[in-house]
Amino acid sequence: MGDLEALKAGYLDQVASAGDEAALEAVRVAALGKKGEISLKMRDLGKMSPEERKSAGAALNAVKDAIADAIAQKKDAMADAALDERLKGEWLDITLSPRPVQPPMAGGTLHPISQVTEEVIAIFADLGFAVKEGPQIEADFYNFDALNIPAEHPARQEHDTFYMAPKADGTRHVLRTHTSPVQIRTLEKEGAPTRFIAPGRVYRSDYDQTHTPMFHQVEGMVIDKDISMANLKWVLEEFCRAFFEVEAVELRFRASHFPFTEPSAEVDIRCSWEGGQLKIGEGDGWLEILGSGMVHPKVLAACGVDPQIWQGFAFGVGIDRIAMLKYGIPDLRAFFDADLRWLRHYGFAALDMPSVAAGLSR
Ligand code: DAH
């Protein structure tokens, strides 16, 4: 037995000191391989008497298992060490230290379009208007047909529409070219009477100093039993006085044509340009700010509202246009340049919500 213990100890030493996989494999072959020392001893068991074989066999098996276990453990340890070594070599620092944030930008600012939209909502909320929204990807029907702009109507060309691919049934969607489809959606759903504005993004394929493919409008609509152009004029004057924050404004109603209103008027505001400074409410200049009119009976009828009973006005204002006028921004395209210095220059504090009572823009 003493021999066996010494044999085992010898092989365990060799396993422990094996420096690589090849050395380990050599130890395995020497001990447990077909002609290995332990295997040969196993073969000798056959020559023994049954009693001898029983005890010697058990002892030999124990030695064989001990050596096999030690080899397996050593193999695992070598594999782990090799992996560690590889990971050390392949390690890559994917972190990037952040750019330090300058204190003035840390809190962010409101974009002038957001600011002006909030101002417009505050003014009309004060006049009892609700705020409605509609989808920017709009059915052809809502953007045109229901607004009395049938297929082949010349107004469709004027809108420079972005069309989506037609569906299998031939209908197609468009990026809405104005906020007027929200008139239809709201009337259809809620009927008359109604009084709301609908601010939002609109799209036309056009690009220069005063046109961008995406811009903003706010639609307004009032339908009741006793509404006239006089109400329209008062509401728009009230709005302009509050929005431009001047005592007196003068509006000029110019006869115009929109398929969805009759009569229709484009509205200009009196202003002066002196030394590159725009002043609202004085001077000899006029700037167009919106389209408006009495809602066409066909539009009401298309929404299931009886034009014999109900009538009203609607208007559409360019939000970007009035933002440029109020805050003296000369180029529309700057709105969408995402230039942080520009934003900081015009930026409005995010928590300064405009209100008519507290002052809109302060
Ligand atoms: N939808 C028109 C446009 O985008 C603007 C407009 C004109 C809206 C007259 C109205 C309106 O509601 O009554 O050019």
Side-chain angles (χ1 to χ4, degrees):
M1 275 309 123
D3 288 358
L4 265 190
E5 280 306 315
L7 191 73
K8 179 171 112 179
Y11 278 116
L12 292 185
D13 272 354
Q14 288 184 45
V15 169
S17 57
D20 54 26
E21 289 233 19
L24 193 62
E25 178 61 6
V27 178
R28 190 193 65 80
V29 170
L32 310 176
K34 256 196 187 141
K35 289 180 182 150
E37 197 171 359
I38 305 291
S39 310
L40 292 179
K41 282 194 185 302
M42 289 282 198
R43 230 175 275 168
D44 287 344
L45 290 174
K47 299 174 193 152
M48 293 179 187
S49 71
E51 269 84 69
E52 271 179 330
R53 194 188 303 147
K54 208 173 179 189
S55 60
L60 206 54
N61 263 323
V63 170
K64 181 187 151 201
D65 288 350
I67 296 172
D69 281 354
I71 290 176
Q73 271 180 31
K74 179 84 180 187
K75 231 187 187 150
D76 283 351
M78 280 175 159
D80 283 352
L83 184 63
D84 281 351
E85 201 55 38
R86 215 178 113 196
L87 288 179
K88 243 185 258 167
E90 293 179 359
W91 182 80
L92 187 66
D93 183 3
I94 57 163
T95 60
L96 183 69
S97 48
R99 233 176 283 153
V101 177
Q102 296 306 313
M105 284 310 289
T109 62
L110 269 194
H111 193 282
I113 295 293
S114 304
Q115 168 74 19
V116 165
T117 304
E118 291 299 335
E119 291 179 19
V120 170
I121 290 173
I123 295 167
F124 279 105
D126 210 43
L127 295 171
F129 284 66
V131 178
K132 304 289 179 188
E133 286 186 311
Q136 295 175 41
I137 299 174
E138 184 56 283
D140 204 312
F141 174 79
Y142 286 102
N143 197 80
F144 294 121
D145 299 80
L147 286 160
N148 196 29
I149 315 176
E152 313 311 329
H153 192 287
R156 289 208 177 197
Q157 264 72 61
E158 285 160 29
H159 277 216
D160 301 313
T161 312
F162 288 113
Y163 291 98
M164 314 297 276
K167 294 189 183 170
D169 66 2
T171 63
R172 71 189 159 175
H173 278 62
V174 300
L175 291 180
R176 68 178 180 191
T177 58
H178 50 178
T179 43
S180 301
V182 187
Q183 290 185 17
I184 307 299
R185 288 186 173 273
T186 307
L187 277 186
E188 232 177 29
K189 201 160 133 218
E190 300 175 17
T194 190
R195 192 193 309 175
F196 65 88
I197 57 167
R201 289 182 168 157
V202 299
Y203 303 83
R204 292 184 200 180
S205 179
D206 208 351
Y207 187 74
D208 61 32
Q209 188 172 348
T210 51
H211 297 88
T212 50
M214 188 279 292
F215 57 107
H216 302 79
Q217 288 187 336
V218 57
E219 195 77 9
M221 184 175 229
V222 174
I223 304 291
D224 213 318
K225 288 183 174 166
D226 191 19
I227 298 290
S228 73
M229 286 289 271
N231 303 112
L232 169 66
K233 185 162 186 281
W234 183 86
V235 165
L236 291 178
E237 280 172 357
E238 205 56 26
F239 165 69
C240 289
R241 203 178 13 247
F243 179 76
F244 290 107
E245 301 179 76
V246 289
E247 270 312 307
V249 291
E250 198 182 331
L251 297 184
R252 181 170 76 175
F253 283 66
R254 242 179 326 103
S256 180
H257 175 263
F258 299 104
F260 34 92
T261 45
E262 181 57 40
S264 305
E266 281 174 296
V267 176
D268 306 330
I269 191 165
R270 186 186 284 282
C271 63
S272 74
W273 279 104
E274 261 171 41
Q277 180 85 13
L278 181 72
K279 287 214 177 91
I280 302 289
E282 55 188 62
D284 298 329
W286 294 96
L287 267 170
E288 182 194 325
I289 55 167
L290 62 94
S292 65
M294 295 303 290
V295 178
H296 199 292
K298 278 191 178 173
V299 172
L300 295 175
C303 303
V305 172
D306 185 349
Q308 300 297 329
I309 303 173
W310 305 100
Q311 78 271 162
F313 62 78
F315 57 86
V317 187
I319 292 184
D320 318 72
R321 167 60 73 90
I322 60 171
M324 291 167 78
L325 290 178
K326 179 166 180 178
Y327 293 110
I329 301 169
D331 191 328
L332 177 65
R333 291 170 296 195
F335 279 125
F336 311 115
D337 279 348
D339 182 333
L340 287 180
R341 291 161 306 173
W342 182 87
L343 244 195
R344 200 179 307 170
H345 176 69
Y346 289 107
F348 301 92
L351 294 176
D352 275 359
M353 284 311 252
S355 90
V356 175
L360 288 174
S361 55
R362 268 169 278 193

